[in-house]
Amino acid sequence: MDVWLAVAQVATLVVILAALHRPLGDYMATIYTSGKDLKIERGFYRLIGVDARSDQTWQSYLRGVLAFSAVGVLFVYLIQRAQAVLPYSLGFPGIPEGLSFNTAVSFVTNTNWQSYSPDVTMGYTVQLAGLAVQNFVSAAVGIAVAIALVRAFALRRSGTIGNFWVDLTRGTLRLLLPISVVGAVVLIAGGVIQNFNGFTDLTTLGGGAQSIPGGPTASQEAIKLLGTNGGGFFNANSAHPFENPTAWANLFEIVLMLAIPFSLPRTFGAIVGDKKQGYAILATMASIFLVSLTALTILELVGAGTAPAAAGGAMEGKETRFGIAGSTLFATTSTLTSTGAVNSMHDSFTALGGMMPMLNMMLGEVAPGGVGSGLYGMLILAVIAVFVAGLLVGRTPEYLGKKIGPREIKLASLYILVTPTLVLTGTALSFAIPAVRADVEGTSIWNPGLHGLSEVLYAFTSAANNNGSAFAGLTANTPWFNTALGVAMLLGRFIPIVFVLALAGSLAAQDKVPATAGTLPTNRSLFVGLLVGVTIIITALTYFPVLALGPLAEGLQ
Amino acid sequence: MTTLTETSASSQQPQRGHGRPPQKRAISLAQLAVALPGAFRKLDPRQMWRNPVMFLVEVGAALTTVLAIAEPFLGGPAESGGAGVPASFTWGITVWLWLTVVFANLAESVAEGRGKAQADSLRQTRTTTMANRVAEYDPDTDPAAERAPIVEVSSADLELGNVVIVVAGELIPGDGDIVWGIASVDESAITGESAPVVRESGGDRSAVTGGTRVLSDRIVVRITSRPGETFVDRMIALVEGASRQKTPNEIALNILLACLSIVFVVVTLTINPIAGYSEAAVSVPVLVALLVCLIPTTIGALLSAIGIAGMDRLVQRNVLAMSGRAVEAAGDVTTLLLDKTGTITYGNRRATEFTPLAGVSLEELTRVAALASLSDPTPEGKSIVVLAEANGFRNPGELAGDIVPFSAQTRMSGIDLVGGSNIRKGAGSTLTAWVEEFGHVTDAVRTELDGHVERISRAGGTPLVVAMSSAGGSRNILGVIYLKDVVKEGIAERFAELRAMGIRTIMITGDNPLTAKTIAAEAGVDDFLAEATPEDKLALIRREQEGGNLVAMTGDGTNDAPALAQADVGVAMNTGTSAAKEAGNMVDLDSDPTKLIDIVRIGKQLLITRGALTTFSIANDVAKYFAIIPAMFTGVFPGLAVLNIMQLHSPASAIMSAIIFNAIIIVVLIPLALRGVKYRAASASRILSRNLLIYGLGGVIAPFIGIKLIDLLISLIPGF
């Protein structure tokens, strides 16, 4: 029964996305290549003093990304610190330094890691003016960077790669905002709340006292998913009935998460002028997605241990209205898209099942990945795959007519180096520094033993890959985790962006080599297979030892 | 530039140099023995540093050596990951790590050793000789330097621009151009070709190479290279690999390998802190073993050997690449410019048909044409006789009469027979003029002749008109000989092969477009450039490069030099001028223009070999993980034994087996690295799927088998 439910859900999802990705992908291509500005955009450009017609070098584009994000971090930090004096604070006090830093970084980096319970920490002003705004713009930044890279493949002998401020503005105004409005309306129709009620105290039928929170949830819910942000309005995130009330709302939320990431390959194909190239990337992402989903669903359905067997399924930490299939689909989507929203507790998954969301993130968030970040991550892997494959066919490797030389390989390799280093050193430092280890084992880990290790590993994997989901058994609101995870999120987001934009600059400056019979075709199933292989091998080789010490050791006991 | 009438270099030197027989086997035990001392010398960290992957292995080996020595004083081998290890374990790891490094150096040494043998034979030509330097050379009044004072100097003291006299029997003291005279020169020391070649002043065959011997006559040579920078010096440096610089792809690959190594260093360094949480910390030798198994040692060890061997394969084909970059570029070539003459056609036209005019019998035309050609030494002339004989003409042997050789003034040749009749053959307009000196060519004849001439020209042939004057003095046109430019056998297949490899061929010819088009169609080239001047050629290369193409070409003349320099791969013929050799980035000692195709193959093979071993190296990691990871942690987590899918005997033997496999595979693959992966012309997809299957899938499977076999042996050692 569960199996058929799972299959039916996936089939529905595939049909919806197949119908959606073409118009949405083409629309995005139009947005980012159009020469026309909207009136409101022109006004905005005048306001910030940007000439929309002048393109930027990659360095200048990068400065834009970094400056804009730095301002974002600072603003979100300050608004949290000052919460006590802001209106609509619901009476919550200002937020401590460590948590403010962590949260500010978390939302600006599109991670949305939450070391806190939002419903009892953040008032409406912080949620809306700080976090919700970042939900939009951090997503727009990610897409902008991806578009800059895509454009670089299409450009020839160009010193510039586009204008960051234009990409950012258009992405926010023309893409994220309108879809979010529609999404929010649909969610409200599905039962997600949207009000400014604060808390409603009532007495339950059983006579107990309950305090029910309200809030502008739907408006934030839509962009939380659409922008692959994941930061919930409530602590329970999408497991909370006010955020994700029904099974069909659950599916709609999944569609929101996947819509842009699965449409961007189409945009890529459209901009480089070869739709098949886009399909190859899409096929790679979709293959990994389906394999991962199948693995997690099987692991959870089969369960492990006596308790799940007695209960008729591994239902601990899962909502009965979603069931196992609805939970695994959501979990796979959320961790493969860098969203990090949850509708079930990943911490409660079976040991090997819990490894799957972790593995999903370790893949580098590329299948299909976060908005923008997924595409550029996959394109980086494609560059590596093309390099190896290019050598194998006896040509200096080239991708879309661009030679993959020492500079390109250097940038792509450095990109690949960043997140594993952050994840592994972060996890290792948590146990290597005696004082930190005492704190981690004493305060943070509530499940001693192997699972505790998995929780810490999950936290750093999630932060460095800008996912934001957690094995929630870990208490992360400690000075160590707030700082270390904050740093991991920051470096995990922006160092790769530096390499991506540098690569874009180097590709744009190149001329295009015409394709011949000797050119490796990058739009065939063989290349898709190779790209899947490269993605998985790189991950497997990097994380196998640490997985063996955590979830594998736990699951194979 | 090669023109139609010139006989091609390839027809003069049809065989490869026989001075150096091709090496059949990639490697022999003797070669290994010779290379061994070099392999140990290369252990010097200052040299190892250039190869980051193997440097890392050396550091690991040094570290385990220290640990192995210190162990007895620290109380025996440490327990690792909760499992005991035998006493000899650390020493075993140490020995095999050092062997890994030595094997890597051995590969490089063997590759270099093969070049050294060639370098030594070249060195013998570099002996110092005495040179007769002309003190005050004046090219205007005394071009032959017969009156100028001569100073005898050592060849080592010759400077750029000096002029020397070389007579028969002497060695040419340095590279230079002949400014006066003609001589036959024995160049076997360099080309391996024993037949002497003719070198003369002016034109495209004026270059001489230091160390070659003048066999006849006397020449005046202007030295064009400094001592120590001669062609032979450069050759020696190249074949020895001394001046080897890393190519762009090699650099890129090195970066990728270095980054992978860094990832694995991070993986290894973070294991113990994380394992420490579960009290599963492993010993340092085990960590080093894990690191060495994971970093791409196979390709890291063989990378430079592959590069050296690639250059060596070119040298074996008598091609000298001035840089590795050029070899690599050859693999990327997308446009190939080929001179028609000598490359696509045999270079000399052959008579294929006699066409008599109205009123002349075929027998008559055949006889006259043959008579006119009996004493004609040119290939065209000989082919006329051959065709005539096939048509029934009987060769009378000696012929009484005066031979009229072809000259640029008369533009015709023939014979004045004793009987008083003169025979001439030549171009249509020339012969018409010759006939009209003493008579009149009727319009009917003229029309008929023009018809034949045009028909033959249109078909890509050269019409040769035959005329005769009778003893009475009247001159008549008899008919036309159809001289055809014969396309080499099998050339169309080679072009089809090139097309499959994604290479476009463009034929360059001085012919008119009509002729060029016909031959282009017959040979199966993709495009042609007719009536090509050197400027046209240069413009064509620029145009192709504008479109992102990489262009390869061959050339020999001075006027080819700009195009050779502009082309991405410019192969100069050894028979060519110094200017051409200077401009190109390769020199073909056999002066065989078709060799460009071989060069492209070698370039591709070089890249494929690198790619194949990289894929193999990385794919190997899967099996090594399945050997080492369970071995590291089963002591603490017995459940991980499930991952020991090879059923290896014990943790210690599993780790030893992996490290031994890792070292031995380098030696096993040395022959492949030196020989290169087999390259068959096919589409990129097909090559990719084939190589992925062999080196990717093979790379995953092979170590599972290898490690298991080694483990079976190791398990016999007590303690393991």
Side-chain angles (χ1 to χ4, degrees):
Chain A
M1 178 17 212
D2 270 339
V3 175
W4 291 114
L5 195 65
V7 172
Q9 264 188 0
V10 174
T12 317
L13 185 63
V14 168
V15 170
I16 295 173
L17 288 174
L20 193 64
H21 89 280
R22 271 168 172 248
L24 184 54
D26 290 343
Y27 174 60
M28 284 192 280
T30 320
I31 291 177
Y32 290 103
T33 51
S34 154
K36 291 194 192 116
D37 299 317
L38 302 179
K39 205 168 186 183
I40 179 171
E41 290 171 347
R42 275 198 296 276
F44 178 69
Y45 298 144
R46 260 200 302 280
L47 193 71
I48 59 170
V50 164
D51 175 8
R53 293 281 87 78
S54 93
D55 283 346
Q56 295 171 299
T57 60
W58 74 265
Q59 293 97 334
S60 168
Y61 200 102
L62 175 65
R63 277 197 295 275
V65 172
L66 296 181
F68 179 75
S69 303
V71 170
V73 170
L74 197 66
F75 178 76
V76 179
Y77 177 81
L78 291 178
I79 200 174
Q80 289 177 88
R81 301 285 293 138
Q83 172 161 261
V85 298
L86 294 173
Y88 293 108
S89 65
L90 305 182
F92 295 136
I95 303 186
E97 288 166 7
L99 182 58
S100 292
F101 163 74
N102 184 282
T103 307
V105 168
S106 169
F107 277 76
V108 171
T109 56
N110 197 253
T111 313
N112 296 29
W113 169 271
Q114 292 166 300
S115 288
Y116 57 93
S117 292
D119 23 356
V120 294
T121 317
M122 305 285 182
Y124 295 159
T125 308
V126 173
Q127 292 262 28
L128 287 179
L131 308 186
V133 168
Q134 283 305 324
N135 277 353
F136 280 96
V137 293
S138 71
V141 167
I143 305 177
V145 172
I147 292 291
L149 179 62
V150 170
R151 229 185 251 132
F153 277 108
L155 287 169
R156 290 177 149 208
R157 294 190 193 168
S158 166
T160 57
I161 56 170
N163 187 314
F164 168 67
W165 304 105
V166 173
D167 292 344
L168 174 73
T169 313
R170 289 184 180 178
T172 311
L173 291 182
R174 299 194 202 176
L175 179 66
L176 297 170
L177 213 49
I179 303 181
S180 293
V181 170
V182 176
V185 170
V186 174
L187 285 171
I188 291 170
V192 177
I193 61 164
Q194 178 76 7
N195 58 49
F196 285 89
N197 290 350
F199 290 91
T200 310
D201 292 317
L202 49 81
T203 310
T204 62
L205 285 176
Q210 197 176 9
S211 177
I212 296 186
T217 310
S219 58
Q220 199 160 328
E221 189 71 13
I223 187 63
K224 161 189 130 181
L225 301 160
L226 181 70
T228 61
N229 293 288
F233 198 86
F234 301 107
N235 191 35
N237 209 299
S238 285
H240 197 294
F242 286 177
E243 283 200 24
N244 190 4
T246 59
W248 77 260
N250 189 50
L251 193 64
F252 180 71
E253 296 199 347
I254 290 169
V255 170
L256 277 180
M257 284 190 264
L258 295 175
I260 294 179
F262 266 134
S263 301
L264 274 171
R266 171 83 181 184
T267 313
F268 164 66
I271 293 181
V272 301
D274 184 352
K275 299 245 163 70
K276 282 186 183 163
Q277 300 289 349
Y279 281 119
I281 296 292
L282 182 64
T284 310
M285 292 173 165
S287 314
I288 297 176
F289 185 91
L290 288 175
V291 169
S292 170
L293 173 66
T294 312
L296 176 59
T297 308
I298 289 174
L299 286 169
E300 290 303 301
L301 281 179
V302 170
T306 42
M315 283 302 292
E316 182 194 314
K318 298 189 180 73
E319 296 291 307
T320 46
R321 66 182 184 280
F322 306 135
I324 289 179
S327 301
T328 56
L329 180 59
F330 196 99
T332 304
T333 304
S334 174
T335 47
L336 273 174
T337 56
S338 99
T339 309
V342 291
N343 76 349
S344 56
M345 293 302 113
H346 297 179
D347 206 7
S348 302
F349 283 5
T350 59
L352 292 178
M355 187 175 72
M356 287 313 297
M358 227 186 291
L359 257 180
N360 287 344
M361 294 185 283
M362 288 168 173
L363 287 173
E365 301 291 20
V366 289
V371 285
S373 61
L375 181 63
Y376 64 66
M378 185 53 92
L379 289 177
I380 293 276
L381 286 166
V383 164
I384 303 269
V386 159
F387 180 74
V388 175
L391 289 183
L392 273 181
V393 301
R395 279 275 289 260
T396 290
E398 63 209 42
Y399 187 40
L400 299 169
K402 302 287 188 177
K403 292 220 155 159
I404 306 303
R407 187 177 156 76
E408 289 74 26
I409 274 296
K410 191 196 293 167
L411 294 168
S413 308
L414 287 172
Y415 178 101
I416 304 268
L417 208 59
V418 177
T419 40
T421 309
L422 290 173
V423 172
L424 294 175
T425 45
T427 311
L429 286 178
S430 298
F431 299 109
I433 307 169
V436 171
R437 178 167 176 172
D439 177 54
V440 168
E441 291 184 352
T443 316
S444 297
I445 295 180
W446 281 29
N447 301 289
L450 288 169
H451 198 67
L453 177 70
S454 299
E455 286 176 353
V456 175
L457 177 62
Y458 195 107
F460 278 98
T461 308
S462 174
N465 285 293
N466 297 139
N467 183 277
S469 66
F471 267 5
L474 187 78
T475 302
N477 192 4
T478 65
W480 164 251
F481 278 115
N482 274 336
T483 315
L485 294 176
V487 169
M489 288 187 273
L490 208 54
L491 300 182
R493 171 76 163 182
F494 293 107
I495 295 183
I497 284 183
V498 171
F499 297 136
V500 168
L501 289 177
L503 181 67
S506 144
L507 292 173
Q510 279 191 35
D511 203 353
K512 272 195 169 210
V513 182
T516 69
T519 311
L520 171 82
T522 49
N523 52 11
R524 306 244 183 101
S525 52
L526 185 65
F527 183 74
V528 172
L530 182 72
L531 192 48
V532 170
V534 166
T535 311
I536 291 173
I537 286 241
I538 287 183
T539 311
L541 294 183
T542 313
Y543 293 106
F544 191 32
V546 72
L547 286 175
L549 283 168
L552 275 177
E554 194 186 341
L556 297 175
Q557 260 170 357
Chain B
M1 152 151 211
T2 314
T3 61
L4 265 176
T5 47
E6 209 173 326
T7 45
S8 83
S10 67
S11 60
Q12 287 175 351
Q13 299 180 335
Q15 296 113 22
R16 302 187 24 188
H18 40 70
R20 293 180 212 122
Q23 279 155 298
K24 289 247 165 47
R25 289 184 54 186
I27 191 167
S28 69
L29 282 176
Q31 275 176 316
L32 281 180
V34 171
L36 209 52
F40 281 99
R41 267 199 303 278
K42 283 174 193 284
L43 287 174
D44 184 343
R46 283 166 300 179
Q47 280 196 46
M48 291 298 297
W49 173 244
R50 280 182 294 163
N51 184 342
V53 177
M54 295 318 294
F55 180 72
L56 211 51
V57 181
E58 190 176 33
V59 171
L63 184 61
T64 51
T65 311
V66 173
L67 289 171
I69 294 169
E71 222 165 49
F73 306 104
L74 301 172
E79 195 196 55
S80 174
V85 291
S88 55
F89 179 77
T90 309
W91 274 115
I93 295 283
T94 305
V95 168
W96 279 99
L97 288 183
W98 281 114
L99 281 177
T100 310
V101 188
V102 170
F103 289 162
N105 291 344
L106 192 66
E108 197 178 284
S109 274
V110 170
E112 285 172 354
R114 305 207 314 173
K116 281 220 171 64
Q118 276 153 344
D120 288 342
S121 77
L122 282 171
R123 249 193 213 99
Q124 288 166 3
T125 69
R126 218 176 41 167
T127 44
T128 345
T129 56
M130 294 314 284
N132 299 314
R133 187 164 73 81
V134 182
E136 286 153 20
Y137 182 66
D138 184 346
D140 297 325
T141 58
D142 186 16
E146 275 157 345
R147 297 186 297 275
I150 306 286
V151 191
E152 204 162 89
V153 294
S154 162
S155 62
D157 297 331
L158 283 176
E159 282 167 22
L160 206 67
N162 280 173
V163 174
V164 295
I165 294 170
V166 193
V167 298
E170 287 182 349
L171 281 179
I172 297 172
D175 294 356
D177 284 327
I178 301 179
V179 290
W180 181 88
I182 177 168
S184 60
V185 180
D186 172 14
E187 293 194 339
S188 59
I190 294 167
T191 62
E193 173 61 52
S194 57
V197 292
V198 173
R199 295 278 181 246
E200 60 185 315
S201 61
D204 290 346
R205 287 163 194 216
S206 60
V208 287
T209 311
T212 56
R213 188 177 295 278
V214 173
L215 295 179
S216 71
D217 303 283
R218 172 178 182 277
I219 48 175
V220 180
V221 176
R222 174 174 311 217
I223 300 296
T224 54
S225 67
R226 287 188 185 81
E229 292 173 21
T230 63
F231 189 61
V232 173
D233 289 316
R234 272 193 291 169
M235 263 180 87
I236 292 171
L238 280 168
V239 296
E240 279 193 328
S243 62
R244 212 177 82 82
Q245 282 173 326
K246 283 190 177 141
T247 60
N249 278 318
E250 205 177 346
I251 295 170
L253 185 53
N254 251 321
I255 292 171
L256 181 66
L257 297 180
C259 271
L260 280 176
S261 303
I262 294 172
V263 169
F264 291 127
V265 168
V266 172
V267 168
T268 318
L269 286 180
T270 53
I271 280 182
N272 263 351
I274 297 173
Y277 171 79
S278 311
E279 310 298 336
V282 289
S283 71
V284 176
V286 171
L287 281 183
V288 173
L290 173 70
L291 176 65
V292 170
C293 281
L294 292 185
I295 59 176
T297 46
T298 314
I299 178 66
L302 298 172
L303 193 54
S304 72
I306 295 170
I308 298 170
M311 294 286 267
D312 190 53
R313 276 198 294 282
L314 274 181
V315 172
Q316 281 178 35
R317 280 177 180 72
N318 266 0
V319 176
L320 290 184
M322 296 304 164
S323 71
R325 192 182 280 258
V327 185
E328 211 163 70
D332 292 346
V333 162
T334 49
T335 305
L336 209 52
L337 302 193
L338 295 165
D339 276 336
K340 184 199 79 173
T341 312
T343 311
I344 294 170
T345 64
Y346 281 106
N348 36 55
R349 294 157 299 175
R350 293 178 181 181
T352 53
E353 183 189 309
F354 297 117
T355 313
L357 292 190
V360 183
S361 72
L362 180 61
E363 288 71 29
E364 173 72 356
L365 176 64
T366 306
R367 190 183 65 84
V368 172
L371 287 178
S373 310
L374 275 176
S375 314
D376 185 347
T378 64
E380 287 89 347
K382 285 178 187 159
S383 78
I384 293 173
V385 178
V386 170
L387 181 68
E389 283 173 347
N391 282 7
F393 170 74
R394 258 182 298 153
N395 196 337
E398 269 312 295
L399 203 63
D402 294 333
I403 296 154
V404 181
F406 180 86
S407 79
Q409 279 81 38
T410 61
R411 295 167 53 81
M412 56 188 166
S413 66
I415 190 166
D416 292 346
L417 293 171
V418 172
S421 57
N422 303 338
I423 309 172
R424 292 290 182 276
K425 59 183 177 10
S429 54
T430 318
L431 268 278
T432 315
W434 183 71
V435 170
E436 288 199 320
E437 280 175 28
F438 289 93
H440 178 66
V441 180
T442 62
D443 282 347
V445 169
R446 197 181 287 269
T447 313
E448 194 189 355
L449 182 65
D450 285 351
H452 289 308
V453 166
E454 205 189 312
R455 171 179 62 83
I456 293 170
S457 299
R458 198 185 296 270
T462 309
L464 200 60
V465 178
V466 182
M468 187 169 80
S469 71
S470 63
S474 71
R475 294 178 174 180
N476 290 309
I477 291 175
L478 300 182
V480 187
I481 305 172
Y482 185 163
L483 288 181
K484 197 173 174 188
D485 216 349
V486 182
V487 171
K488 285 185 177 174
E489 277 165 43
I491 201 91
E493 286 77 24
R494 298 204 82 172
F495 289 146
E497 203 175 281
L498 284 171
R499 206 168 297 119
M501 286 155 67
I503 297 171
R504 217 160 64 86
T505 44
I506 301 182
M507 182 180 84
I508 308 288
T509 172
D511 291 349
N512 62 60
L514 218 62
T515 313
K517 192 178 175 189
T518 315
I519 294 179
E522 192 177 341
V525 294
D526 297 297
D527 205 351
F528 64 90
L529 181 68
E531 288 169 351
T533 63
E535 291 75 33
D536 293 342
K537 216 163 162 177
L538 189 60
L540 175 69
I541 294 175
R542 290 228 170 97
R543 210 159 50 237
E544 288 287 321
Q545 287 172 335
E546 286 283 306
N549 286 305
L550 253 73
V551 183
M553 67 166 285
T554 56
D556 51 7
T558 302
N559 53 19
D560 280 341
L564 279 172
Q566 179 71 35
D568 301 281
V569 178
V571 184
M573 300 291 103
N574 190 42
T575 52
T577 58
S578 329
K581 284 199 237 177
E582 204 59 50
N585 42 20
M586 291 192 197
V587 175
D588 178 14
L589 298 175
D590 296 342
S591 304
D592 171 8
T594 48
K595 214 180 270 175
L596 206 47
I597 298 170
D598 294 333
I599 295 172
V600 169
R601 295 182 78 101
I602 291 173
K604 285 194 177 294
Q605 205 186 18
L606 184 65
L607 292 186
I608 293 177
T609 310
R610 283 200 200 117
L613 292 180
T614 306
T615 312
F616 187 83
S617 195
I618 296 172
N620 272 347
D621 280 3
V622 176
K624 291 180 201 159
Y625 257 141
F626 278 100
I628 295 187
I629 294 293
M632 281 168 84
F633 301 123
T634 35
V636 180
F637 307 117
L640 288 179
V642 181
L643 297 177
N644 183 10
I645 52 178
M646 282 175 273
Q647 299 293 314
L648 301 178
H649 180 69
S650 72
S653 80
I655 294 168
M656 269 313 279
S657 306
I659 210 88
I660 291 174
F661 176 83
N662 193 51
I664 286 181
I665 196 71
I666 295 174
V667 180
V668 172
L669 290 175
I670 289 178
L672 181 70
L674 297 186
R675 197 179 55 227
V677 168
K678 197 173 273 177
Y679 173 75
R680 290 201 194 100
S683 72
S685 317
R686 190 171 294 175
I687 299 176
L688 179 64
S689 47
R690 182 172 172 272
N691 286 338
L692 270 182
L693 196 69
I694 298 176
Y695 300 99
L697 196 61
V700 172
I701 295 169
F704 276 104
I705 300 167
I707 291 174
K708 177 69 188 168
L709 289 177
I710 296 170
D711 179 72
L712 288 175
L713 288 176
I714 299 249
S715 62
L716 301 175
I717 301 172
F720 276 92

